[in-house]
Every structure is written in C-alpha cells, then in structure tokens.
Amino acid sequence: PTHRRRRNNEQPPPAHAQPATKTWQIRRVTMALGESELSFDELKYIEKRRRAILKRCELPFYRTLTFWDGTCLRLLCFDPLLWFTIAVYILIRVRARTDLPEFVDNLSTGNIGVIGAFLSFFLVYYVVSSNKRFDDQYNLSMAAKGRVLDVASLARASLPRDVGLRIVRYMNASHVVGYVGLSETYDCNNFFDEINKSAYLLTGLEYQRINLLNMDAGGSCYRELVAWCQMEVQSAFKNDLIDGRLASQYRDKLLDFQAALSGIYNFADQPIPFFYVHFISLLSALYLPLFAISTAFEAGTGSDAHWTADLIAGLLVFLQSIFVIGLRLLGQKLSGPFGSDLEDLSVMHYVNFTWQQSNRIMASQAPKRSTSQSDAKTEEDIVRERATIGKAWDEGKMTSEGVHDEHSLSKSLFPESVFTDATPSAFVDEAETPNTTPSEGGSQCVLQ
C-alpha cells in the first residue's frame, strides 16, 4: 500500500500494512515503482543489497560478469534505443540479401566515425562530471558524519552528561532530517518516524515543533535542529560549564556540520544542465541507427553477403550500442546519489552508524586509576619495555652490552627476514649516520 506523508501528528499505519516478505520487496524494487511508495522494510532491504554490492569491487573480472544486481545489464535490456538499433541492423542485412538498390554501394559512410568520436567525447565528459558530483556528495556526507562524532567526543569530556546527550541527540536528529528533506525516497513517514521509534531522537514536544516546519520540504528542519545545538552551547557557556575557547570549538563543529549538509542541498538544487543531457541523448538517438546502417552496408550486399560477416558486424553494432547507451546511463545514475537505486549512497547505513558511534562515545568510560605515583611508575615501565625508538632518544634504555647498535635498533620493529648483515641505508636515520668530510688541511673530521 502507498503511505501518504503524515501531517498534524497522525498516527503511523499499523505494522501489518507494510509488506515485509522478500518476494514482495524484490517485486516492488525490480518493477521500479514510485520512490514515495517504498516502506521502511523495503529501504532496509535495498540498503542490505547496496552494502553487498560494495564488496564486489575487488572480485576477479570473470566473477563480476556473473552478477545482475548493480550492473548495467538490467537497464540495457529495457532500453528502447538498443533494440531499435539492433532492429535497424537486422532489417538492412535482410534487405541486403534480396533487392537493395545498386547505388547503396556508392554511399559514403566515413563521416559516421567522426560523429562517433565527437559523441564519445561528450559522453565521457558527462560521466566524468557526474562521477565528480558523486564523489563530492559522498565526501560531504562523510564530513557531516565526522562532525557529529567530533562534537560527541568534545561533549563527553567537557559537558555535563545531560547537556552532552541532548546536543548529540539533536545532531543525530538533524543528520537524519537532512536526508529526509533532500530526497523523495526518504520521507518523514518511511524514514525519520521509523528511526525515531527506536533511537528516540526527538521527544514529543520537540517532534511537534519540527513537524510544523514540514520535514519533507527542504532543509529548514535540519537547520532548526542545528540552531538548538547552538543554543545549548551558548547556555553552557553562560553557566560557566565551558570556557570561551571550547565554546568556539563547538560552534565551529556545528557550523561545519551545517555547511556539509548545505553543500549536499546545493548539489541537489543545481544538477547537470538539462540542455547538456538532452544534447547527448539526441546525438545518441541519431548516431546509433546511422552507425547500424553504415555497418550493415559495409558487411556486403547481394552475392558478397555472408553469414560470418553478418555476425561480426552485428557484434560491432551491439558493442557500440552498449558503449554509447551505457555511458549515458552511467552518467544519469551517478548524478543523483540519494535515491532508491542500488548504486546510490548508503544513507541508512550512514545515519545508523553515526547514531551508534556517537552514543558509544557518550557512554565511554575511562579506566579507574589508583594514585598519581602509581600512574607515573606505570608510564615509566611502559617506556622501558616498549620497542626502541633510536639510541639518541633511548638514553636511559640500556642493555647488558650497552646501547643498542644500529642493526639491533632496526630489528626491534621489523621481521628478521627483512634485513641482511648490512642494513640498507633507507632504514638508517640520517641523524645517526657518521658523516665523514675532508677538512681544509686534507685530514678527515668525523662528526657523530
């Protein structure tokens, strides 16, 4: 069933109204129904498949060819331009064995290669631009995640527990809300409300305030939550819970977090110009049929036609179609990484990981120590027992034979098999190597 966005504190639909079986999930995903129809269970299933696809990148090439999910095959199979191009080629080859006019042999097809070269340039540029946008938006997502963890680390060490937990909770709520307002795939009903049930990101009164701002319509809600964090920091500063320098660090981290989410919204506001996308689509639609016709004529007509030439030429047409259509589809897939495609970024993983790790930081406990004298003795024992860092720095670290020589220093940190009797110069510190230079009188001065 299609769940409408909830307004005015309307209760969520019952659990039995949301399909949970994998069969239904697969059918819904593969049929590519509307993004707003995805339920929370379906989003989790898509996320699981995304994370599995990411692990395939380092597989051998023959294993990568055995997969269907996350590849271009599914889209190519349903692309009408591919089958239209193949149909044009087959039609020309059938007519070439029967009654093609004689003037066909005199047609020039040399300009088709020039057009293909220009089209290849435009397609590659389109893919490069889309890939750069994809990488930049991924980096912004990681920056937002990192700022939440930074604030959690500061709050754990410098703020009262209740204030620190509140700030971290607001930041996690802002992190989730930012993706809700960014994409139609993740809306208030199927994403934030479901996460809020288990993570308790907002209380009832806080949720009422955010709900008035319309979470599904832009970035007003995440900026509101960042403002709440700033107010908490300012209140802590006024109450002398933190000093001015630490308050400035909090503000910088919060503004960096807001800037990262704002950067993602900037990309969504200005995609690759439609004029460029339409231009390469038009060129592709015109070029591929012409290429099929040209290749079909070059395969021979009348008595010169042969099945071997037909198969080879058909394979060339098929490969060229995959190249042109595949690059266009690749650019389109990379241009918007916050949708429901398997190639998109793992939004659910990002928000769950950030919430879990930030709360683990807030729950961290320092080991109990005894007296300061015992702590000092422990640290000195560690220094004596650790691996050597060089004889010039291990002045108080002696053995029965005196200070370690250069060869034993190197062996202390590296396996025995790495070194020979003569230690390579690359492992010897320049500051420890004797430097012999001739003096003005012809004698040699040894500097150690």
mmCIF file of all heavy atoms in Angstrom, residues 217-257:
data_model
loop_
_atom_site.group_PDB
_atom_site.id
_atom_site.type_symbol
_atom_site.label_atom_id
_atom_site.label_comp_id
_atom_site.label_asym_id
_atom_site.label_seq_id
_atom_site.Cartn_x
_atom_site.Cartn_y
_atom_site.Cartn_z
ATOM 1 N N ALA A 217 9.920 19.150 3.124
ATOM 2 C CA ALA A 217 10.019 20.273 2.177
ATOM 3 C C ALA A 217 11.280 21.086 2.427
ATOM 4 O O ALA A 217 11.242 22.191 2.973
ATOM 5 C CB ALA A 217 8.786 21.162 2.274
ATOM 6 N N GLY A 218 12.428 20.547 2.054
ATOM 7 C CA GLY A 218 13.661 21.325 2.124
ATOM 8 C C GLY A 218 14.429 21.132 3.408
ATOM 9 O O GLY A 218 14.167 20.216 4.201
ATOM 10 N N GLY A 219 15.392 22.041 3.660
ATOM 11 C CA GLY A 219 16.326 21.878 4.766
ATOM 12 C C GLY A 219 16.050 22.727 5.977
ATOM 13 O O GLY A 219 16.949 22.909 6.806
ATOM 14 N N SER A 220 14.833 23.244 6.121
ATOM 15 C CA SER A 220 14.538 24.103 7.274
ATOM 16 C C SER A 220 14.648 23.340 8.586
ATOM 17 O O SER A 220 15.097 23.889 9.598
ATOM 18 C CB SER A 220 13.128 24.695 7.136
ATOM 19 O OG SER A 220 13.018 25.491 5.979
ATOM 20 N N CYS A 221 14.259 22.081 8.597
ATOM 21 C CA CYS A 221 14.234 21.318 9.844
ATOM 22 C C CYS A 221 15.639 21.027 10.363
ATOM 23 O O CYS A 221 15.902 21.135 11.564
ATOM 24 C CB CYS A 221 13.458 20.022 9.635
ATOM 25 S SG CYS A 221 11.690 20.266 9.390
ATOM 26 N N TYR A 222 16.542 20.637 9.489
ATOM 27 C CA TYR A 222 17.891 20.328 9.992
ATOM 28 C C TYR A 222 18.591 21.593 10.473
ATOM 29 O O TYR A 222 19.373 21.560 11.439
ATOM 30 C CB TYR A 222 18.711 19.587 8.932
ATOM 31 C CG TYR A 222 19.460 20.437 7.945
ATOM 32 C CD1 TYR A 222 20.685 21.005 8.253
ATOM 33 C CD2 TYR A 222 18.942 20.671 6.673
ATOM 34 C CE1 TYR A 222 21.376 21.773 7.341
ATOM 35 C CE2 TYR A 222 19.622 21.432 5.755
ATOM 36 C CZ TYR A 222 20.840 21.984 6.090
ATOM 37 O OH TYR A 222 21.513 22.762 5.182
ATOM 38 N N ARG A 223 18.323 22.734 9.838
ATOM 39 C CA ARG A 223 18.908 23.991 10.321
ATOM 40 C C ARG A 223 18.301 24.407 11.656
ATOM 41 O O ARG A 223 18.989 24.988 12.507
ATOM 42 C CB ARG A 223 18.713 25.080 9.267
ATOM 43 C CG ARG A 223 19.649 24.932 8.079
ATOM 44 C CD ARG A 223 19.556 26.127 7.150
ATOM 45 N NE ARG A 223 18.312 26.104 6.377
ATOM 46 C CZ ARG A 223 18.208 25.565 5.170
ATOM 47 N NH1 ARG A 223 19.260 24.982 4.615
ATOM 48 N NH2 ARG A 223 17.056 25.587 4.531
ATOM 49 N N GLU A 224 17.029 24.114 11.851
ATOM 50 C CA GLU A 224 16.389 24.378 13.144
ATOM 51 C C GLU A 224 17.073 23.570 14.246
ATOM 52 O O GLU A 224 17.351 24.088 15.338
ATOM 53 C CB GLU A 224 14.911 24.011 13.058
ATOM 54 C CG GLU A 224 14.155 24.082 14.363
ATOM 55 C CD GLU A 224 13.572 25.452 14.630
ATOM 56 O OE1 GLU A 224 13.698 26.335 13.758
ATOM 57 O OE2 GLU A 224 12.985 25.648 15.704
ATOM 58 N N LEU A 225 17.354 22.317 13.986
ATOM 59 C CA LEU A 225 17.995 21.472 14.992
ATOM 60 C C LEU A 225 19.431 21.907 15.266
ATOM 61 O O LEU A 225 19.902 21.832 16.407
ATOM 62 C CB LEU A 225 17.956 20.020 14.527
ATOM 63 C CG LEU A 225 16.571 19.364 14.571
ATOM 64 C CD1 LEU A 225 16.548 18.082 13.758
ATOM 65 C CD2 LEU A 225 16.164 19.087 16.004
ATOM 66 N N VAL A 226 20.130 22.367 14.249
ATOM 67 C CA VAL A 226 21.477 22.899 14.475
ATOM 68 C C VAL A 226 21.410 24.150 15.346
ATOM 69 O O VAL A 226 22.262 24.368 16.226
ATOM 70 C CB VAL A 226 22.167 23.200 13.124
ATOM 71 C CG1 VAL A 226 23.483 23.932 13.344
ATOM 72 C CG2 VAL A 226 22.431 21.897 12.358
ATOM 73 N N ALA A 227 20.381 24.978 15.135
ATOM 74 C CA ALA A 227 20.203 26.156 15.975
ATOM 75 C C ALA A 227 19.953 25.767 17.428
ATOM 76 O O ALA A 227 20.426 26.434 18.359
ATOM 77 C CB ALA A 227 19.057 27.011 15.446
ATOM 78 N N TRP A 228 19.209 24.679 17.653
ATOM 79 C CA TRP A 228 19.011 24.200 19.018
ATOM 80 C C TRP A 228 20.344 23.826 19.660
ATOM 81 O O TRP A 228 20.581 24.120 20.838
ATOM 82 C CB TRP A 228 18.085 22.987 19.022
ATOM 83 C CG TRP A 228 16.678 23.271 18.625
ATOM 84 C CD1 TRP A 228 16.163 24.470 18.243
ATOM 85 C CD2 TRP A 228 15.602 22.337 18.572
ATOM 86 N NE1 TRP A 228 14.823 24.342 17.937
ATOM 87 C CE2 TRP A 228 14.451 23.042 18.131
ATOM 88 C CE3 TRP A 228 15.481 20.978 18.831
ATOM 89 C CZ2 TRP A 228 13.209 22.428 17.956
ATOM 90 C CZ3 TRP A 228 14.250 20.359 18.661
ATOM 91 C CH2 TRP A 228 13.125 21.077 18.231
ATOM 92 N N CYS A 229 21.210 23.189 18.893
ATOM 93 C CA CYS A 229 22.538 22.835 19.419
ATOM 94 C C CYS A 229 23.339 24.088 19.772
ATOM 95 O O CYS A 229 24.016 24.136 20.813
ATOM 96 C CB CYS A 229 23.293 21.999 18.393
ATOM 97 S SG CYS A 229 22.562 20.393 18.026
ATOM 98 N N GLN A 230 23.269 25.089 18.925
ATOM 99 C CA GLN A 230 23.975 26.341 19.210
ATOM 100 C C GLN A 230 23.446 26.991 20.487
ATOM 101 O O GLN A 230 24.216 27.549 21.296
ATOM 102 C CB GLN A 230 23.826 27.304 18.025
ATOM 103 C CG GLN A 230 24.479 26.844 16.735
ATOM 104 C CD GLN A 230 25.973 27.072 16.713
ATOM 105 O OE1 GLN A 230 26.615 27.265 17.742
ATOM 106 N NE2 GLN A 230 26.548 27.053 15.511
ATOM 107 N N MET A 231 22.136 26.924 20.690
ATOM 108 C CA MET A 231 21.564 27.477 21.917
ATOM 109 C C MET A 231 22.056 26.726 23.142
ATOM 110 O O MET A 231 22.317 27.330 24.198
ATOM 111 C CB MET A 231 20.038 27.408 21.836
ATOM 112 C CG MET A 231 19.420 28.273 20.755
ATOM 113 S SD MET A 231 17.623 28.015 20.649
ATOM 114 C CE MET A 231 17.265 28.904 19.116
ATOM 115 N N GLU A 232 22.172 25.422 23.039
ATOM 116 C CA GLU A 232 22.680 24.626 24.160
ATOM 117 C C GLU A 232 24.129 25.001 24.474
ATOM 118 O O GLU A 232 24.514 25.101 25.648
ATOM 119 C CB GLU A 232 22.573 23.142 23.843
ATOM 120 C CG GLU A 232 21.158 22.594 23.785
ATOM 121 C CD GLU A 232 20.500 22.555 25.148
ATOM 122 O OE1 GLU A 232 21.220 22.504 26.169
ATOM 123 O OE2 GLU A 232 19.255 22.597 25.193
ATOM 124 N N VAL A 233 24.929 25.205 23.451
ATOM 125 C CA VAL A 233 26.321 25.601 23.668
ATOM 126 C C VAL A 233 26.393 26.974 24.317
ATOM 127 O O VAL A 233 27.171 27.199 25.257
ATOM 128 C CB VAL A 233 27.089 25.592 22.335
ATOM 129 C CG1 VAL A 233 28.483 26.190 22.494
ATOM 130 C CG2 VAL A 233 27.201 24.169 21.800
ATOM 131 N N GLN A 234 25.586 27.900 23.850
ATOM 132 C CA GLN A 234 25.587 29.238 24.425
ATOM 133 C C GLN A 234 25.121 29.217 25.875
ATOM 134 O O GLN A 234 25.676 29.919 26.734
ATOM 135 C CB GLN A 234 24.682 30.157 23.594
ATOM 136 C CG GLN A 234 24.667 31.608 24.045
ATOM 137 C CD GLN A 234 26.018 32.279 23.868
ATOM 138 O OE1 GLN A 234 26.873 31.799 23.121
ATOM 139 N NE2 GLN A 234 26.226 33.380 24.583
ATOM 140 N N SER A 235 24.118 28.390 26.171
ATOM 141 C CA SER A 235 23.658 28.277 27.554
ATOM 142 C C SER A 235 24.739 27.688 28.449
ATOM 143 O O SER A 235 24.932 28.142 29.593
ATOM 144 C CB SER A 235 22.399 27.407 27.593
ATOM 145 O OG SER A 235 21.957 27.205 28.914
ATOM 146 N N ALA A 236 25.452 26.688 27.947
ATOM 147 C CA ALA A 236 26.540 26.104 28.733
ATOM 148 C C ALA A 236 27.652 27.115 28.970
ATOM 149 O O ALA A 236 28.270 27.148 30.052
ATOM 150 C CB ALA A 236 27.085 24.869 28.011
ATOM 151 N N PHE A 237 27.914 27.965 27.991
ATOM 152 C CA PHE A 237 28.942 28.997 28.159
ATOM 153 C C PHE A 237 28.522 30.029 29.199
ATOM 154 O O PHE A 237 29.328 30.444 30.049
ATOM 155 C CB PHE A 237 29.218 29.660 26.808
ATOM 156 C CG PHE A 237 30.139 30.832 26.886
ATOM 157 C CD1 PHE A 237 31.475 30.677 27.233
ATOM 158 C CD2 PHE A 237 29.670 32.118 26.618
ATOM 159 C CE1 PHE A 237 32.331 31.770 27.304
ATOM 160 C CE2 PHE A 237 30.510 33.213 26.693
ATOM 161 C CZ PHE A 237 31.840 33.035 27.036
ATOM 162 N N LYS A 238 27.267 30.450 29.154
ATOM 163 C CA LYS A 238 26.792 31.442 30.118
ATOM 164 C C LYS A 238 26.777 30.887 31.532
ATOM 165 O O LYS A 238 26.987 31.624 32.508
ATOM 166 C CB LYS A 238 25.389 31.907 29.728
ATOM 167 C CG LYS A 238 25.352 32.816 28.510
ATOM 168 C CD LYS A 238 23.945 33.310 28.240
ATOM 169 C CE LYS A 238 23.924 34.280 27.064
ATOM 170 N NZ LYS A 238 22.546 34.796 26.792
ATOM 171 N N ASN A 239 26.538 29.602 31.675
ATOM 172 C CA ASN A 239 26.509 28.967 33.000
ATOM 173 C C ASN A 239 27.879 28.494 33.452
ATOM 174 O O ASN A 239 27.976 27.735 34.441
ATOM 175 C CB ASN A 239 25.543 27.781 32.984
ATOM 176 C CG ASN A 239 24.104 28.207 32.760
ATOM 177 O OD1 ASN A 239 23.702 29.309 33.144
ATOM 178 N ND2 ASN A 239 23.319 27.339 32.117
ATOM 179 N N ASP A 240 28.937 28.912 32.718
ATOM 180 C CA ASP A 240 30.328 28.584 33.080
ATOM 181 C C ASP A 240 30.598 27.078 33.077
ATOM 182 O O ASP A 240 31.475 26.583 33.808
ATOM 183 C CB ASP A 240 30.690 29.164 34.454
ATOM 184 C CG ASP A 240 30.683 30.683 34.455
ATOM 185 O OD1 ASP A 240 30.982 31.264 33.388
ATOM 186 O OD2 ASP A 240 30.360 31.290 35.502
ATOM 187 N N LEU A 241 29.881 26.365 32.249
ATOM 188 C CA LEU A 241 30.172 24.939 32.101
ATOM 189 C C LEU A 241 31.344 24.707 31.148
ATOM 190 O O LEU A 241 32.036 23.690 31.261
ATOM 191 C CB LEU A 241 28.934 24.207 31.587
ATOM 192 C CG LEU A 241 27.695 24.260 32.484
ATOM 193 C CD1 LEU A 241 26.534 23.539 31.827
ATOM 194 C CD2 LEU A 241 28.002 23.668 33.855
ATOM 195 N N ILE A 242 31.554 25.619 30.219
ATOM 196 C CA ILE A 242 32.689 25.570 29.291
ATOM 197 C C ILE A 242 33.231 26.976 29.146
ATOM 198 O O ILE A 242 32.527 27.967 29.392
ATOM 199 C CB ILE A 242 32.277 25.013 27.908
ATOM 200 C CG1 ILE A 242 31.092 25.799 27.331
ATOM 201 C CG2 ILE A 242 31.955 23.534 27.982
ATOM 202 C CD1 ILE A 242 30.695 25.378 25.933
ATOM 203 N N ASP A 243 34.506 27.082 28.761
ATOM 204 C CA ASP A 243 35.099 28.400 28.564
ATOM 205 C C ASP A 243 34.867 28.875 27.129
ATOM 206 O O ASP A 243 34.299 28.163 26.293
ATOM 207 C CB ASP A 243 36.590 28.375 28.894
ATOM 208 C CG ASP A 243 37.351 27.335 28.079
ATOM 209 O OD1 ASP A 243 36.828 26.877 27.041
ATOM 210 O OD2 ASP A 243 38.474 26.973 28.474
ATOM 211 N N GLY A 244 35.323 30.080 26.843
ATOM 212 C CA GLY A 244 35.097 30.662 25.525
ATOM 213 C C GLY A 244 35.788 29.909 24.404
ATOM 214 O O GLY A 244 35.241 29.779 23.300
ATOM 215 N N ARG A 245 36.992 29.410 24.678
ATOM 216 C CA ARG A 245 37.724 28.689 23.635
ATOM 217 C C ARG A 245 36.993 27.397 23.269
ATOM 218 O O ARG A 245 36.846 27.066 22.077
ATOM 219 C CB ARG A 245 39.133 28.359 24.128
ATOM 220 C CG ARG A 245 39.981 27.574 23.133
ATOM 221 C CD ARG A 245 41.321 27.221 23.747
ATOM 222 N NE ARG A 245 41.144 26.438 24.951
ATOM 223 C CZ ARG A 245 40.934 25.118 24.968
ATOM 224 N NH1 ARG A 245 40.861 24.454 23.824
ATOM 225 N NH2 ARG A 245 40.807 24.481 26.103
ATOM 226 N N LEU A 246 36.511 26.676 24.252
ATOM 227 C CA LEU A 246 35.804 25.435 23.980
ATOM 228 C C LEU A 246 34.451 25.710 23.322
ATOM 229 O O LEU A 246 34.019 24.957 22.425
ATOM 230 C CB LEU A 246 35.614 24.656 25.277
ATOM 231 C CG LEU A 246 35.241 23.168 25.156
ATOM 232 C CD1 LEU A 246 36.238 22.430 24.282
ATOM 233 C CD2 LEU A 246 35.160 22.531 26.529
ATOM 234 N N ALA A 247 33.795 26.774 23.742
ATOM 235 C CA ALA A 247 32.525 27.130 23.096
ATOM 236 C C ALA A 247 32.734 27.456 21.627
ATOM 237 O O ALA A 247 31.908 27.117 20.770
ATOM 238 C CB ALA A 247 31.891 28.313 23.821
ATOM 239 N N SER A 248 33.856 28.110 21.315
ATOM 240 C CA SER A 248 34.169 28.416 19.920
ATOM 241 C C SER A 248 34.398 27.135 19.117
ATOM 242 O O SER A 248 33.985 27.041 17.950
ATOM 243 C CB SER A 248 35.400 29.311 19.847
ATOM 244 O OG SER A 248 35.752 29.590 18.515
ATOM 245 N N GLN A 249 35.032 26.138 19.728
ATOM 246 C CA GLN A 249 35.227 24.859 19.038
ATOM 247 C C GLN A 249 33.891 24.192 18.734
ATOM 248 O O GLN A 249 33.681 23.662 17.638
ATOM 249 C CB GLN A 249 36.086 23.933 19.894
ATOM 250 C CG GLN A 249 37.567 24.242 19.865
ATOM 251 C CD GLN A 249 38.365 23.199 20.619
ATOM 252 O OE1 GLN A 249 38.276 23.075 21.829
ATOM 253 N NE2 GLN A 249 39.158 22.437 19.887
ATOM 254 N N TYR A 250 32.983 24.219 19.700
ATOM 255 C CA TYR A 250 31.655 23.655 19.462
ATOM 256 C C TYR A 250 30.960 24.365 18.304
ATOM 257 O O TYR A 250 30.363 23.728 17.422
ATOM 258 C CB TYR A 250 30.802 23.772 20.719
ATOM 259 C CG TYR A 250 31.015 22.674 21.731
ATOM 260 C CD1 TYR A 250 31.712 22.910 22.910
ATOM 261 C CD2 TYR A 250 30.513 21.398 21.516
ATOM 262 C CE1 TYR A 250 31.903 21.914 23.849
ATOM 263 C CE2 TYR A 250 30.695 20.391 22.446
ATOM 264 C CZ TYR A 250 31.398 20.648 23.610
ATOM 265 O OH TYR A 250 31.601 19.648 24.536
ATOM 266 N N ARG A 251 31.007 25.674 18.320
ATOM 267 C CA ARG A 251 30.323 26.437 17.265
ATOM 268 C C ARG A 251 30.915 26.115 15.898
ATOM 269 O O ARG A 251 30.182 25.985 14.909
ATOM 270 C CB ARG A 251 30.424 27.928 17.559
ATOM 271 C CG ARG A 251 29.721 28.366 18.840
ATOM 272 C CD ARG A 251 29.699 29.877 18.967
ATOM 273 N NE ARG A 251 29.175 30.301 20.258
ATOM 274 C CZ ARG A 251 29.924 30.730 21.271
ATOM 275 N NH1 ARG A 251 31.245 30.801 21.124
ATOM 276 N NH2 ARG A 251 29.368 31.101 22.411
ATOM 277 N N ASP A 252 32.237 26.011 15.831
ATOM 278 C CA ASP A 252 32.878 25.697 14.546
ATOM 279 C C ASP A 252 32.452 24.326 14.041
ATOM 280 O O ASP A 252 32.172 24.153 12.843
ATOM 281 C CB ASP A 252 34.399 25.756 14.691
ATOM 282 C CG ASP A 252 34.907 27.174 14.904
ATOM 283 O OD1 ASP A 252 34.158 28.127 14.591
ATOM 284 O OD2 ASP A 252 36.041 27.331 15.399
ATOM 285 N N LYS A 253 32.405 23.339 14.934
ATOM 286 C CA LYS A 253 31.993 21.998 14.527
ATOM 287 C C LYS A 253 30.543 21.985 14.057
ATOM 288 O O LYS A 253 30.202 21.340 13.062
ATOM 289 C CB LYS A 253 32.167 21.013 15.684
ATOM 290 C CG LYS A 253 33.601 20.813 16.137
ATOM 291 C CD LYS A 253 34.442 20.152 15.069
ATOM 292 C CE LYS A 253 35.843 19.882 15.580
ATOM 293 N NZ LYS A 253 36.707 19.274 14.527
ATOM 294 N N LEU A 254 29.686 22.706 14.755
ATOM 295 C CA LEU A 254 28.279 22.752 14.368
ATOM 296 C C LEU A 254 28.091 23.451 13.027
ATOM 297 O O LEU A 254 27.293 23.008 12.190
ATOM 298 C CB LEU A 254 27.471 23.468 15.452
ATOM 299 C CG LEU A 254 27.306 22.703 16.767
ATOM 300 C CD1 LEU A 254 26.690 23.603 17.828
ATOM 301 C CD2 LEU A 254 26.442 21.464 16.575
ATOM 302 N N LEU A 255 28.828 24.529 12.806
ATOM 303 C CA LEU A 255 28.717 25.226 11.524
ATOM 304 C C LEU A 255 29.287 24.390 10.385
ATOM 305 O O LEU A 255 28.770 24.431 9.262
ATOM 306 C CB LEU A 255 29.415 26.580 11.610
ATOM 307 C CG LEU A 255 28.745 27.619 12.533
ATOM 308 C CD1 LEU A 255 29.569 28.896 12.580
ATOM 309 C CD2 LEU A 255 27.326 27.921 12.067
ATOM 310 N N ASP A 256 30.363 23.646 10.663
ATOM 311 C CA ASP A 256 30.899 22.744 9.633
ATOM 312 C C ASP A 256 29.897 21.646 9.291
ATOM 313 O O ASP A 256 29.759 21.251 8.126
ATOM 314 C CB ASP A 256 32.212 22.124 10.115
ATOM 315 C CG ASP A 256 33.344 23.131 10.175
ATOM 316 O OD1 ASP A 256 33.219 24.193 9.546
ATOM 317 O OD2 ASP A 256 34.341 22.860 10.869
ATOM 318 N N PHE A 257 29.217 21.153 10.306
ATOM 319 C CA PHE A 257 28.177 20.142 10.079
ATOM 320 C C PHE A 257 27.057 20.706 9.209
ATOM 321 O O PHE A 257 26.611 20.073 8.248
ATOM 322 C CB PHE A 257 27.634 19.675 11.429
ATOM 323 C CG PHE A 257 26.412 18.813 11.342
ATOM 324 C CD1 PHE A 257 26.504 17.481 10.971
ATOM 325 C CD2 PHE A 257 25.158 19.331 11.638
ATOM 326 C CE1 PHE A 257 25.369 16.682 10.893
ATOM 327 C CE2 PHE A 257 24.026 18.538 11.566
ATOM 328 C CZ PHE A 257 24.132 17.214 11.193
#
